Amino acid sequence: MVRNRPLWAPEEIDIERPSVARMYDYFLGGSHNFAADRELAEQARKVFPDAPHVVRANRAFLRRAVATLCDLGVRQFLDLGSGIPTVGNVHELAQRIDPGAHVVYVDSDPVAAAHATALLGERAHVHVLHADLRDPEAIVGEAARSGWLDFSRPVAVLIVSVLPFIPDEDDPAAIVAAYRDATAPGSYLAISHGTNDYQPEAVGKVEGVYTRTTQPGVFRSRAEVLALMPGYELLPPGLVDAIRWRPDPCDADLPDPLDGDVTRYSLLAAVGRHD
Ligand SMILES: C[S@@+](CC[C@H](N)C(=O)[O-])C[C@H]1O[C@@H](n2cnc3c(N)ncnc32)[C@H](O)[C@@H]1O
């Protein structure tokens, strides 16, 4: 079926092929998605009805992680797999605390990168890179050469709900380690990751649905997720269910819409520091 292509959609994208970034945008209630994305997202919701709650809990973790990192004095953020801009983007949170905070958004999805560039490209200290996080050398090189981030000072690397899309054969732990090695002592890593520990059958079905996207994904066990953060000392409470990572009862956007049932979220999160 031929579908209308809106003006904001880059010419090179196949709007009939669902994208992880646009399905996530749909679950968040955004408008940068196409019929194919919405149809596949609904199929994912059929096998995992809590998906929209999980994405909200994930964004709530991101907000708490950025607030914590700002409290710890971090003023530079490298947001890898940042997604299509939504409410409460990293620069909004960080620059509320310090207008001089620097944020670089990186995403391999053309719509995410184009929309981020259109919306955020002109903001002070905010930059957008259309790139694949599996090439740390290129991303760090570009951010350093362009003066967007100063890698001699601490940087928080955010990889929030993105590592599921990096299969084992691409060695995600080595990729994370490359960012660790590129950042100064006192830098941080924040991650969240879907887990297959609680509902292996249901998340197996979600994986099946996602094979039809541009970036198939995998859920991992807690031990496997922990192994993706080598060389980082985890801040308390460690790698835990995302809703239990420093919960903020004052968060107006329902950080826990499923009343504490961690099995229904199946989402782990952690923040670590390396010296
Ligand atoms: C589930 S969304 C998460 C968005 C955001 N980090 C958040 O937590 O709200 C995953 C994002 O990762 C991006 N992504 C997946 N693989 C990537 C890669 N290899 N390089 C850069 N971005 C990637 C997708 O395009 C998508 O925007």
Side-chain angles (χ1 to χ4, degrees):
M1 192 204 306
V2 177
R3 291 165 164 139
N4 290 337
R5 174 185 292 269
L7 286 174
W8 49 261
E11 277 300 323
E12 73 269 21
I13 63 164
D14 176 0
I15 65 173
E16 303 291 336
R17 179 114 190 264
S19 115
V20 162
R22 300 191 308 257
M23 288 167 68
Y24 186 77
D25 176 68
Y26 173 68
F27 280 135
L28 281 173
S31 56
H32 286 78
N33 47 71
F34 303 111
D37 306 309
R38 296 190 283 276
E39 281 158 21
L40 200 64
E42 285 305 331
Q43 285 186 34
R45 202 215 295 247
K46 268 198 191 111
V47 295
F48 199 88
D50 293 321
H53 299 309
V54 177
V55 302
R56 299 209 101 81
N58 182 60
R59 291 298 300 182
F61 161 71
L62 176 64
R63 288 195 291 276
R64 301 196 300 280
V66 171
T68 298
L69 291 162
C70 286
D71 283 349
L72 289 166
V74 178
R75 294 295 180 265
Q76 303 191 94
F77 294 84
L78 180 57
D79 188 0
L80 300 170
S82 45
I84 294 170
T86 178
V87 177
N89 299 297
V90 171
H91 74 281
E92 294 168 277
L93 306 168
Q95 292 186 349
R96 202 175 295 152
I97 291 163
D98 182 345
H102 292 248
V103 179
V104 175
Y105 292 109
V106 179
D107 206 289
S108 57
D109 182 276
V111 169
H115 188 48
T117 303
L119 205 69
L120 314 173
E122 301 293 305
R123 310 259 164 148
H125 312 306
V126 177
H127 299 278
V128 179
L129 201 51
H130 181 201
D132 192 314
L133 74 90
R134 286 172 291 190
D135 192 348
E137 209 180 304
I139 290 172
V140 170
E142 179 68 25
R145 243 189 331 274
S146 307
W148 298 341
L149 296 174
D150 174 359
F151 284 91
S152 68
R153 299 167 58 79
V155 173
V157 177
L158 313 175
I159 318 184
V160 178
S161 277
V162 184
L163 288 174
F165 305 103
I166 309 296
D168 289 345
E169 53 267 33
D170 288 345
D171 201 348
I175 294 169
V176 174
Y179 287 102
R180 180 200 63 211
D181 293 345
T183 50
S187 290
Y188 292 87
L189 168 70
I191 72 165
S192 65
H193 199 303
T195 182
N196 52 16
D197 283 345
Y198 302 125
Q199 303 189 59
E201 207 176 309
V203 302
K205 287 181 185 163
V206 177
E207 288 173 353
V209 171
Y210 271 76
T211 55
R212 292 173 49 200
T213 69
T214 47
Q215 290 152 315
V218 288
F219 290 74
R220 293 187 169 98
S221 69
R222 188 179 180 282
E224 288 169 334
V225 175
L226 197 56
L228 298 179
M229 307 182 72
Y232 282 94
E233 190 176 329
L234 302 192
L235 305 187
L239 176 65
V240 293
D241 295 291
I243 56 163
R244 299 221 168 121
W245 196 90
R246 305 192 181 196
D248 173 7
C250 298
D251 189 333
D253 188 26
L254 276 184
D256 176 15
L258 295 175
D259 291 332
D261 185 346
V262 298
T263 67
R264 287 176 65 184
Y265 290 104
S266 291
L267 183 70
L268 302 175
V271 176
R273 173 189 158 105
H274 83 81
D275 288 312

